[in-house]
Amino acid sequence: METRIPTHPGEILKEELECRNMSQRKFAELIDVPYTQLNEILNGKRSVSADFALMIEASLGINPDLLINMQNRYNIAVARTKPTLLERLRFIRKSCAAVLT
């Protein structure tokens, strides 16, 4: 069974800027962040930090909790796709079940 990866908050921000006819470069200037940082967030290559979420609240009025919660859900879903982590988790469950029961 394949599970869908939740939407990265950058996708929402990218759509918001497009709806407002705001270029990424202009918005990066307005909030005083490097264009490359903003572009990486909007394209899901970089995480939304608490500081960045608060800048988005100040500039666009988007609730920072929404962005952080979206980022956390995205991070968890991506982590659950990593084979080495999944194997480690299986080992931890088995080891702890043997000791803690």
Side-chain angles (χ1 to χ4, degrees):
M1 177 177 92
E2 283 193 41
T3 57
R4 184 178 99 54
I5 301 292
T7 302
H8 187 281
E11 290 183 46
I12 302 303
L13 297 174
K14 190 175 195 176
E15 288 178 15
E16 184 67 26
L17 291 179
E18 288 170 1
C19 287
R20 294 177 187 231
N21 294 316
M22 173 72 62
S23 75
Q24 291 180 23
R25 287 198 187 279
K26 180 65 177 170
F27 187 67
E29 289 175 21
L30 285 171
I31 64 171
D32 194 29
V33 299
Y35 166 75
T36 53
Q37 176 186 343
L38 176 64
N39 182 264
E40 288 173 354
I41 291 170
L42 298 183
N43 290 304
K45 296 178 182 176
R46 184 185 285 226
S47 295
V48 170
S49 68
D51 290 359
F52 186 81
L54 290 169
M55 286 187 256
I56 295 303
E57 179 186 40
S59 60
L60 299 175
I62 297 173
N63 186 319
D65 294 327
L66 170 71
L67 298 174
I68 294 301
N69 289 336
M70 288 181 74
Q71 185 67 58
N72 285 335
R73 283 190 301 274
Y74 179 85
N75 292 349
I76 293 288
V78 169
R80 286 186 169 143
T81 67
K82 297 177 181 177
T84 54
L85 177 60
L86 292 174
E87 185 58 36
R88 185 173 183 190
L89 295 174
R90 279 191 284 278
F91 175 78
I92 290 169
R93 286 184 189 103
K94 184 177 177 182
S95 298
C96 289
V99 173
L100 299 174
T101 55

